[in-house]
Amino acid sequence: MTSDLSRLLPATLPPGRLVGGEDGPEPLLWISDAPAPAGLWQQLHRAHPQSGLWPLLFVPLGDGADYRPWLSGELFPASASDPTLYDPDALLRRWWQQLGGTGEDSTGEDSTGEDAPGEDGPEGPLDAEDAAELRAALAPFGPAWPGTAPAAAVPDGAPGVEARGLADVLLSVRDARLGLVRAGSGAEALAACGWSGPLNHEDDTAKIAAVLADWERRFGAQVVQVGFDTLELSVAVPPATLAEALPLAAEHTAFCPDLVFQGTGTLTAYAEGLVASYQWSFWWD
């Protein structure tokens, strides 16, 4: 994000403001002063290839009195590295291991180049009962990383159609402000604007962005709405069966463990909700 953001903003935008973060006054994003007008997000989404500005719907934490984090200064672009530095599969594998895995991949070899830890949870070794509960929650997969789901055949134009449709749906159920970030995609926009929603799970948003970019390539997923610690993604090609959904559910669980461990209770139950779903929702406690 550079200081010429103001020169890129379309003249037809409603009243709004440029926002910087805690690292300095450099504008990170533009946000409207009122809820997004009908149809404007979609117009700006279509214009992204020419404008270089990715549109987002911004929602706040709680009642939104100070519209956290978008107007409260809780944006930290300097804490994000470069999303292109990371292998998405390696990131997902590491996060899976942190749930309590053996540190070995499906071949039985250490996948990180480090000594494989034992069956540890986030706070240390698990006792037998906790280990059994963890295995039940992650079934049908064991503690070894099962690998990423196969890429889908994404039709040309489908990601944009689904993203614009989801924006309509989201705005029909909750007011959200219009946001613009100078970025090549919604995934890149999260790192560029200094969003830190998954801080309790991963403190470098570039790693989150790397996985989101991979999902965009494999499934046509696009970031549409962002909250203090929430994400809403559109999906062009969702899994059609439970068998297809299970490995994707493992990816989602590694990426956002709260979906299972504070949500559905089991990976299989979460996978059932992914079948034929064109919307993916994430939240971090």
Side-chain angles (χ1 to χ4, degrees), residues 77-167:
S79 66
S81 54
D82 180 350
T84 64
L85 296 175
Y86 302 103
D87 173 8
D89 180 79
L91 290 171
L92 291 166
R93 183 186 301 119
R94 168 55 67 185
W95 290 332
W96 182 268
Q97 291 166 352
Q98 290 172 351
L99 299 177
T102 63
E104 298 178 349
D105 63 21
S106 59
T107 66
E109 298 177 352
D110 179 30
S111 59
T112 64
E114 302 174 2
D115 291 337
E119 192 163 61
D120 291 355
E123 298 180 358
L126 300 177
D127 60 29
E129 182 177 354
D130 288 342
E133 290 180 358
L134 179 66
R135 289 176 182 272
L138 299 181
F141 305 114
W145 171 235
T148 54
V154 180
D156 290 344
V161 170
E162 293 302 330
R164 293 187 288 271
L166 178 59

Side-chain angles (χ1 to χ4, degrees), residues 2-282:
T2 62
S3 57
D4 63 353
L5 173 60
S6 60
R7 294 191 287 107
L8 298 175
L9 296 172
T12 55
L13 288 176
R17 69 191 79 179
L18 292 167
V19 176
E22 284 206 353
D23 300 321
E26 184 79 5
L28 301 173
L29 57 89
W30 176 91
I31 183 172
S32 64
D33 291 335
L40 184 54
W41 192 96
Q42 290 82 348
Q43 176 185 334
L44 293 166
H45 185 265
R46 290 188 180 93
H48 171 258
Q50 291 74 44
S51 72
L53 297 172
W54 187 267
L56 294 168
L57 295 176
F58 287 143
V59 293
L61 178 68
D63 62 12
D66 50 1
Y67 225 82
R68 298 177 64 193
W70 313 112
L71 299 180
S72 60
E74 297 170 274
L75 300 170
F76 311 96
S79 66
S81 54
D82 180 350
T84 64
L85 296 175
Y86 302 103
D87 173 8
D89 180 79
L91 290 171
L92 291 166
R93 183 186 301 119
R94 168 55 67 185
W95 290 332
W96 182 268
Q97 291 166 352
Q98 290 172 351
L99 299 177
T102 63
E104 298 178 349
D105 63 21
S106 59
T107 66
E109 298 177 352
D110 179 30
S111 59
T112 64
E114 302 174 2
D115 291 337
E119 192 163 61
D120 291 355
E123 298 180 358
L126 300 177
D127 60 29
E129 182 177 354
D130 288 342
E133 290 180 358
L134 179 66
R135 289 176 182 272
L138 299 181
F141 305 114
W145 171 235
T148 54
V154 180
D156 290 344
V161 170
E162 293 302 330
R164 293 187 288 271
L166 178 59
D168 268 337
V169 171
L170 293 171
L171 286 171
S172 72
V173 297
R174 182 181 183 183
D175 284 342
R177 296 197 192 188
L178 176 64
L180 290 170
V181 181
R182 189 178 187 185
S185 67
E188 293 177 16
L190 298 179
C193 77
W195 180 70
S196 60
L199 180 64
N200 291 335
H201 173 58
E202 173 53 62
D203 61 6
D204 185 350
T205 304
K207 297 177 183 178
I208 297 295
V211 173
L212 293 172
D214 189 49
W215 288 342
E216 182 166 4
R217 289 187 291 269
R218 287 191 286 140
F219 306 108
Q222 294 194 359
V223 180
V224 176
Q225 182 172 283
V226 191
F228 184 85
D229 54 5
T230 61
L231 282 179
E232 299 293 339
L233 275 60
S234 61
V235 187
V237 187
T241 66
L242 181 59
E244 292 179 4
L246 283 167
L248 181 59
E251 294 188 43
H252 285 199
T253 303
F255 179 79
C256 183
D258 290 340
L259 295 172
V260 168
F261 295 103
Q262 297 192 53
T264 60
T266 68
L267 184 149
T268 298
Y270 176 74
E272 290 171 351
L274 290 178
V275 176
S277 176
Y278 289 83
Q279 178 180 354
W280 294 347
S281 302
F282 301 94

